[in-house]
Amino acid sequence: MSQLAVTVIGPDRPGIIADVTEALAQTGVNLEDSTMTLLRGHFAMMIVCSGSFPEVREALEPLRGELVITVREMGPEHAHAPIGAPFILSVHGADRPGIVSAVTRMIASVGGTITDQTTRLSGSLYVLTAEVELPAAAELGMLQRALEITAEELGVGVTLRPAESDDL
């Protein structure tokens, strides 16, 4: 058994999740981690599972065509050891290129890591929400100020707050 990464992308329709997971279940695959979402009317799913690479590829073959499906073997699992306290990062404002790269660069500059991120464009309003882990040594005041300066340059609003257990 190999650890596999399965990605599925295609126009949304009812039953995609049921079709994909049924095909996987028929090969004896158990879903270990997954995320699924709609992006502009297109369905996107990522799954990590353990199974036989050839069997999984073959089981998903009938779904290809309408869906773009990739299956690849992953290396050994790397446990994510939290690097520090969890925070919630929120950004909102007029859409423009560079928002994600500028804001995430600020998090990376203090050694932080993003564990989950979602962005949405609703009309001209762009919204980014991320779960972030920051090392204890991170200067929160300096990071907050750097985020504020970056947000001002981008014309967006930004907040960084400690995550409550309800948030995670």
Side-chain angles (χ1 to χ4, degrees):
M1 290 270 206
S2 299
Q3 192 165 54
L4 305 173
V6 178
T7 61
V8 179
I9 300 172
D12 188 38
R13 64 161 174 78
I16 294 175
I17 295 171
D19 292 346
V20 171
T21 57
E22 181 179 47
L24 294 173
Q26 289 174 349
T27 69
V29 165
N30 186 46
L31 306 184
E32 296 171 11
D33 288 318
S34 67
T35 187
M36 302 155 202
T37 192
L38 288 178
L39 301 169
R40 302 272 165 181
H42 289 266
F43 177 80
M45 175 167 55
M46 293 184 295
I47 298 170
V48 174
C49 57
S50 293
S52 163
F53 179 81
E55 286 180 27
V56 167
R57 279 190 54 85
E58 184 178 324
L60 294 171
E61 191 62 36
L63 300 173
R64 293 182 198 277
E66 84 169 298
L67 301 171
V68 176
I69 300 173
T70 62
V71 180
R72 71 175 186 89
E73 291 185 284
M74 298 174 57
E77 183 174 345
H78 297 283
H80 173 75
I83 63 166
F87 287 79
I88 301 295
L89 173 70
S90 300
V91 179
H92 62 279
D95 185 32
R96 62 164 280 182
I99 295 172
V100 174
S101 63
V103 173
T104 58
R105 179 65 55 210
M106 290 294 103
I107 299 299
S109 73
V110 298
T113 188
I114 295 173
T115 58
D116 191 50
Q117 178 177 293
T118 301
T119 63
R120 288 280 182 239
L121 180 60
S122 179
S124 63
L125 178 66
Y126 190 78
V127 178
L128 176 152
T129 305
E131 294 174 15
V132 176
E133 289 180 5
L134 298 174
E139 290 289 332
L140 290 180
M142 289 178 58
L143 174 59
Q144 290 276 16
R145 185 65 189 130
L147 285 168
E148 289 168 5
I149 292 168
T150 300
E152 188 175 311
E153 291 170 355
L154 294 168
V156 298
V158 64
T159 59
L160 179 68
R161 63 177 175 79
E164 304 291 330
S165 60
D166 293 348
D167 293 329
L168 304 174

